[in-house]
Amino acid sequence: MESRTAAIVQRSLNALFDDDSFLCDLHNGKREKAFTSLVSILSTPNHVHKSFLRIALEDGSVVRIPAYRVQHNNILGPYKGGIRFHESVNEDEVVNLSSLMTLKNALHEVPFGGGKGGVVINPRNYTAKDLHAICVKYVQYFTKVIGPNEDIPAPDVGTGEREMDWMMGEFKSIHPGRDYLGSFTGKSVENGGSLGRRTSTGKGVYFTFRYLLHDFVKEQKSWLEDRKSADAHTVLETYDQSLTLAFQGFGNVGSAAALNAYQCSHINNKIVAVSDRNVTLYQQDGLDIPALVKYTDKNNGDLPRNAEELHAAQVQAEILEREDILYLNIDALFLVALENQIHSDNMEKIKAKIVVEGANAPITNEADEYLTNAGTLIIPDILANAGGVIVSYFEWIQGKETQFFTEEEVFRRLYEKMKKTFDNVFPTFFSNAYTLRKTCYIHSVLKLSTILYRQGKLY
Ligand code: GLU
């Protein structure tokens, strides 16, 4: 595990160590030993699989493409996590992301462990035929370690339904007669996917924010007023005003989250900015998000980049540099792009009062500490972006039973599951001195440790 997650796991375990009621049956130095064992178990992945996929490209050349499948932990169930296609993929990153999956699933009581895959390519540089060959090869190379009860991949950055459909197709060919619907999640609905999976991560990201600011704080306002932490103040001061929001990232997750914010009738939101890999669009009076979603759907996922394209999209906005979105004077900034977006070089320029991690690990450790000390409320990735894996779990159940839920049923179950987590986490957060991130980690680590202990794996 990269030092960032390992360090937080270590600190979370230290906090648990101070809680005498935890593992209280262990005496005479055994409790200390159990904690040392926990750190080593949770800080290292079970397996790191690496291959160089040999691909005959459509242009006639043969290339070797590095690919990974990391299986961090299966304490709670089969390994689970996406496969990322991105040129910056590397082993450390995949290991770190796989450990976040373990913690995310534990936090939301999803009966899966943590895994992650990656292929070092920029998918935009390959033809559909090449990408199909890469997906097929990925399954062939890793076929011994994946499967519906072993390790269940899903989409991540750079992959989607099309890739999962191809991969499941190859899994089915390699294993005739075996259950295959549960081997991959995030498939198209026609191919055994779940209704609602496509927008589930984005919806979950916005729901986390909305639930904290509206449902939770409104219900608990008087109770919260006694707890005067900087974080509580941010939330209390903000929730019933009109809020300005910005979304860094307008892909599958960002656009769904922004659309939900736009349509939300509980909070008075105004989405003043969105960005993608090319530009930031800014509009003080609020952007027309449905028009932008329509435009990106038709234009390879890209937001309008100039006056002409804005005109074609029928959207009024100012065009700013891509990075500018991070430094706007707004209430809430949603980071829904990639990791390490806020770091030591730009952290001092962040003005948003609340930062929501829709992507995995978008804030470095140093920046996290800096922003927290500056009074920014950070809603962490493992809490906010679990909608995708939760609906993947529903897809897996539906595939096993070959009985499919309506979209309404999927979202009802999604919100119910997330609410259960929030109602566990938010009261603890407001009644102790820990950040929301650390509170979530403590919940996850507590769950994993308890299971390990109950299964006789800690003495
Ligand atoms: N890639 C998504 C995540 O990071 C979804 C994983 C899944 O559905 O298994 O949570």
Side-chain angles (χ1 to χ4, degrees), residues 124 157 201-202 205 245-259 261 271 273-281 287 289 292-293 296 301-303 321-326 328 332-339 341 356-359 362:
R124 290 179 183 265
V157 175
T201 313
V205 168
L245 272 46
F247 290 79
Q248 186 213 27
F250 207 71
N252 183 30
V253 184
S255 62
L259 193 60
I271 302 150
V274 297
S275 74
D276 68 0
R277 66 200 174 99
N278 303 310
V279 285
T280 291
L281 300 181
L287 287 163
I289 300 298
L292 287 171
V293 170
T296 51
D302 288 331
L303 288 167
E321 290 300 316
R322 185 181 63 149
E323 276 247 324
D324 290 350
I325 192 142
L326 299 174
L328 298 171
L333 172 63
F334 289 72
L335 301 173
V336 212
L338 282 169
E339 56 263 47
Q341 298 301 298
V356 187
E357 295 188 323

Side-chain angles (χ1 to χ4, degrees), residues 330-350:
I330 45 170
D331 294 303
L333 172 63
F334 289 72
L335 301 173
V336 212
L338 282 169
E339 56 263 47
N340 300 335
Q341 298 301 298
I342 302 183
H343 42 76
S344 55
D345 294 339
N346 66 1
M347 61 195 186
E348 288 169 24
K349 295 202 265 172
I350 308 298

